[in-house]
Amino acid sequence: MNRMHLKVQLSVTLTALLVLLATGTVQAQKFFKANPQINPYNFSVVKEQSYNNAAVTSAHPLASMVGAAIMQQGGNAFDAAIAVQFALAVVHPAAGNIGGGGFMLGRKADGTLIGIDYRETAPAKAHRDMYLDAKGEAITEKSKDGPPASGIPGSVAGMFSTHAFAKLPMADLLEPAIELAEFGHVLTEKEAGGLNSQRADFLKYSAAASALTSKEKWKAGDTLYQPELAATLKRIQKNGLAGFYEGKTAELIVKEMQYGGGIITKADLKNYQPKFRKPIEFDYKNHHVITFAPPSSGGIIIAQMMKMIAPFDIAKMGFNTFESVNLMVEAQRRAYADRAEHMGDPDFWKVPTASLVSDEYVKERMKDFQPGVAGSSKITLAGVPKETEQTTHFSTMDKEGNMVANTTTLNGSYGNRTIVAGAGFLLNNEMDDFSVKPGVPNMFGAIGGEANAVQPGKRMLSSMTPTLVTLNNKPYITIGSPGGTTIPNQVYEGLVNIIDYKMTIKQAIDASRFHHQWIPDRVDVESDFPEATIQALKAKGYTVTKRGRFGRMDGILINETGKLEAAGDKRGDDSVAGY
Ligand code: GLY
């Protein structure tokens, strides 16, 4: 349990209350007045809890509580997802966003699947060599820092498309975020530290100072007020999509582009459209897995990896032993090699999805796997199919049986670190997820080629893997994580932990992780990974690197008694709520 310092909180609460009374704004806090159980100035992280009716798990306690309250007052899992997305844009600005994009995967109670791709797109003026210098060398910072790194944001449009499956008015779902921005919320230690670490970049890459830079050094217990963000959210509340993609907000985005050398125009914003994608489905040991299709690579990758390991008795091999890690890493190597070669935006590149996940292809790919032997990424290249740290995830489930897995991102932590002057929100640096030049690694060390080259209107390849699982055709799990290219591996390992190792969802999420992405030819492990397995891997010729931690996985599982077990990753402020 993370508890703010009571003394600091009391004084902050009192100050906030005095401000609100003096300005008569208590009246204006419709949502928080109706939901006194949520206190933006005094809250705790809840890592694990079972609920009878509905549950949310997300990167921030306030966002999770907002989602649960929305369902308690008559909304469903889709309403909750929309309210959580907007709330995260206020309370978790490192990755929660309205200036980025993502994927919403939903399963309605009647079994209908919905995949909404609200990934950013390359602006009309983008071109394949836009991040190369005169000599043809990659200028890698240009796709990461400041306005030139931004794709056209998709999050707001994505939430309006999601709204078709919700029950409450959109205005009500925006209200909690507006109130959190206008009347402030107390920063956790991690959120304060994040803002401090990026302060210099915020000032360097933005036209003006903003709420996020209003203090030299933030600390836990400080209240963050974001009036410009509140005004932007109010424009969306009042004018719908036009409140973001047209009018004042669009003007402010374009002005920021002009200041910082970006290329997004008013027409780019007005033309942005989310797309419905048919989810990828496959079976793994009696479980039915539903996950996201391209332009996410994640769904194909986890389908390939889980099919590759399905013939093996993983439970017998033991959790994180040399034997199980050797097998699972060799599946990772093969799937990620295919990612680099074959995956991109399906509207621009013929992604051979059906072949890549077919039983025959996957079997063929594992033909040269030799148990106990370290493979090599020089030998294992992409297959030839016959036919041509920062993101955030949240999950919601309601009592009707609807479930949502939603992963959303600005790409890097705080995106391109550009806060749109006068509009108060951060922009993404998603253009770095394109392959800026064949063979040149992006910020996650991933390489790509023609399939993922920059083209106007194209969506950059993603690793986000929002995933649902059904058991006997009934809702079972909703899960996902941030973490760039580590995401598909986290979801893969999380599902194996539950299905093969019979862990609870909390144990599965917290368990120590490993990651191989073909190139670099290296097994990354978390710092608490078993030393004996590291030594055994090294002895067999693997290069093993200890990395602090990967991602922040959040999930909900319906157990055999019908209870919703919600779990937030130990690695962050991730927190659950429900009723
Ligand atoms: N920006 C991280 C991803 O989409 O994979």
Side-chain angles (χ1 to χ4, degrees):
M1 295 278 267
N2 264 347
R3 223 164 247 287
M4 308 290 111
H5 270 286
L6 196 64
K7 242 169 108 182
V8 179
Q9 275 176 354
L10 279 176
S11 83
V12 168
T13 312
L14 220 86
T15 317
L17 221 88
L18 287 174
V19 171
L20 302 183
L21 285 171
T23 54
T25 43
V26 169
Q27 258 346 47
Q29 282 194 290
K30 276 193 303 211
F31 178 82
F32 286 101
K33 220 178 145 205
N35 291 281
Q37 76 279 14
I38 313 175
N39 183 348
Y41 313 109
N42 186 4
F43 53 87
S44 302
V45 169
V46 182
K47 286 290 177 199
E48 187 181 12
Q49 191 69 255
S50 292
Y51 302 100
N52 289 326
N53 297 295
V56 182
T57 172
S58 82
H60 199 284
L62 288 172
S64 295
M65 286 189 275
V66 159
I70 287 289
M71 289 194 277
Q72 206 154 8
Q73 63 194 48
N76 63 17
F78 296 95
D79 290 282
I82 296 165
V84 171
Q85 170 91 29
F86 286 120
L88 283 172
V90 180
V91 298
H92 182 49
N97 68 82
I98 54 172
F103 301 122
M104 195 291 298
L105 181 65
R107 184 182 187 271
K108 284 179 31 176
D110 66 5
T112 311
L113 300 181
I114 305 143
I116 299 179
D117 158 9
Y118 59 96
R119 184 75 163 156
E120 301 89 329
T121 59
K125 282 191 199 145
H127 56 93
R128 64 174 286 144
D129 296 338
M130 65 185 283
Y131 299 113
L132 303 186
D133 65 15
K135 290 190 191 130
E137 300 301 330
I139 319 166
T140 48
E141 63 274 17
K142 202 174 164 189
S143 61
K144 296 188 186 79
D145 305 331
S150 268
I152 306 161
S155 292
V156 174
M159 291 306 104
F160 276 84
S161 295
T162 302
H163 193 241
F165 308 96
K167 289 157 81 175
L168 303 180
M170 191 60 154
D172 291 3
L173 306 178
L174 278 149
E175 186 62 28
I178 291 170
E179 293 177 16
L180 285 167
E182 188 166 5
F183 304 110
H185 79 286
V186 160
L187 292 175
T188 65
E189 194 179 330
K190 287 193 175 72
E191 295 290 344
L195 292 178
N196 294 337
S197 71
Q198 300 298 324
R199 181 182 162 77
D201 275 3
F202 290 153
L203 294 170
K204 181 171 171 188
Y205 296 120
S206 313
S210 69
L212 301 186
T213 54
S214 60
K215 247 189 130 166
E216 195 86 32
K217 196 163 166 49
W218 295 101
K219 57 182 187 331
D222 285 346
T223 303
L224 173 65
Y225 298 95
Q226 302 178 76
E228 290 175 343
L229 178 55
T232 300
L233 292 166
K234 280 183 188 173
R235 285 193 290 278
I236 301 169
Q237 192 183 46
K238 184 161 175 243
N239 303 320
L241 280 173
F244 185 85
Y245 292 99
E246 296 176 56
K248 184 164 178 187
T249 314
E251 270 163 34
L252 292 170
I253 294 172
V254 171
K255 223 166 140 189
E256 191 72 40
M257 290 290 133
Q258 285 158 356
Y259 167 83
I263 56 172
I264 296 176
T265 62
K266 278 192 192 170
D268 283 329
L269 290 163
K270 199 169 171 188
N271 292 337
Y272 181 85
Q273 292 286 345
K275 295 190 177 177
F276 283 80
R277 304 283 182 193
K278 189 176 175 319
I280 289 177
E281 297 177 69
F282 63 96
D283 290 323
Y284 179 76
K285 299 183 180 173
N286 295 328
H287 295 73
H288 188 64
V289 183
I290 304 148
T291 181
F292 219 90
S296 173
S297 60
I300 295 178
I301 292 179
I302 68 161
Q304 288 188 312
M305 296 190 298
M306 295 190 82
K307 284 185 173 200
M308 285 179 198
I309 64 167
F312 298 85
D313 189 346
I314 311 261
K316 207 166 150 202
M317 293 177 180
F319 172 65
N320 279 352
T321 59
F322 169 75
E323 206 183 353
S324 62
V325 174
N326 169 231
L327 168 69
M328 290 178 74
V329 160
E330 292 308 324
Q332 292 174 343
R333 182 194 308 282
R334 286 158 177 78
Y336 276 79
D338 282 350
R339 179 192 196 277
E341 180 69 20
H342 297 299
M343 299 178 212
D345 182 344
D347 297 334
F348 286 74
W349 181 262
K350 193 160 172 36
V351 182
T353 305
S355 294
L356 287 171
V357 302
S358 72
D359 294 343
E360 307 73 54
Y361 177 78
V362 164
K363 200 169 157 202
E364 186 63 29
R365 290 289 277 154
M366 279 302 265
K367 232 174 162 177
D368 59 352
F369 167 68
Q370 289 178 271
V373 175
S376 161
S377 294
K378 286 200 190 90
I379 297 164
T380 297
L381 304 177
V384 187
K386 284 197 194 85
E387 63 176 70
T388 62
E389 224 161 259
Q390 200 37 270
T391 297
T392 190
H393 174 83
F394 57 85
S395 290
T396 62
M397 272 196 197
D398 64 29
K399 62 176 186 223
E400 293 161 31
N402 300 296
M403 54 179 180
V404 170
N406 190 103
T407 314
T408 182
T409 187
L410 291 166
N411 196 23
S413 202
Y414 302 94
N416 65 354
R417 281 93 73 233
T418 299
I419 301 148
V420 178
F425 64 90
L426 279 148
L427 287 169
N428 66 84
N429 57 354
E430 218 69 62
M431 294 297 279
D432 191 63
D433 267 349
F434 279 118
S435 170
V436 298
K437 185 182 172 183
V440 172
N442 70 3
M443 74 166 78
F444 301 110
I447 59 167
E450 201 51 42
N452 191 31
V454 184
Q455 279 178 265
K458 187 174 175 181
R459 293 170 189 216
M460 52 299 282
L461 185 61
S462 173
S463 299
M464 292 186 286
T465 315
T467 297
L468 306 171
V469 181
T470 58
L471 195 53
N472 303 323
N473 209 24
K474 293 207 179 82
Y476 183 43
I477 299 170
T478 156
I479 199 163
S481 184
T485 47
T486 69
I487 298 172
N489 282 336
Q490 292 181 55
V491 174
Y492 159 62
E493 291 166 31
L495 292 182
V496 167
N497 290 347
I498 295 168
I499 298 170
D500 292 276
Y501 296 122
K502 311 289 177 218
M503 291 186 195
T504 66
I505 187 141
K506 177 67 173 145
Q507 289 166 339
I509 281 173
D510 286 350
S512 193
R513 298 175 186 146
F514 55 90
H515 167 74
H516 192 291
Q517 60 175 47
W518 180 52
I519 287 175
D521 190 349
R522 192 179 78 201
V523 186
D524 291 349
V525 297
E526 289 193 308
S527 43
D528 58 351
F529 200 75
E531 199 53 43
T533 305
I534 295 175
Q535 293 313 324
L537 288 165
K538 283 185 175 170
K540 290 289 182 183
Y542 284 101
T543 301
V544 183
T545 310
K546 270 195 184 177
R547 264 168 63 169
R549 59 175 201 196
F550 316 150
R552 291 165 61 167
M553 195 152 41
D554 289 329
I556 306 168
L557 176 151
I558 302 190
N559 69 20
E560 60 284 356
T561 67
K563 288 230 183 209
L564 280 63
E565 289 177 12
D569 200 314
K570 69 174 182 187
R571 294 164 182 81
D573 288 334
D574 303 65
S575 188
V576 308
Y579 73 99

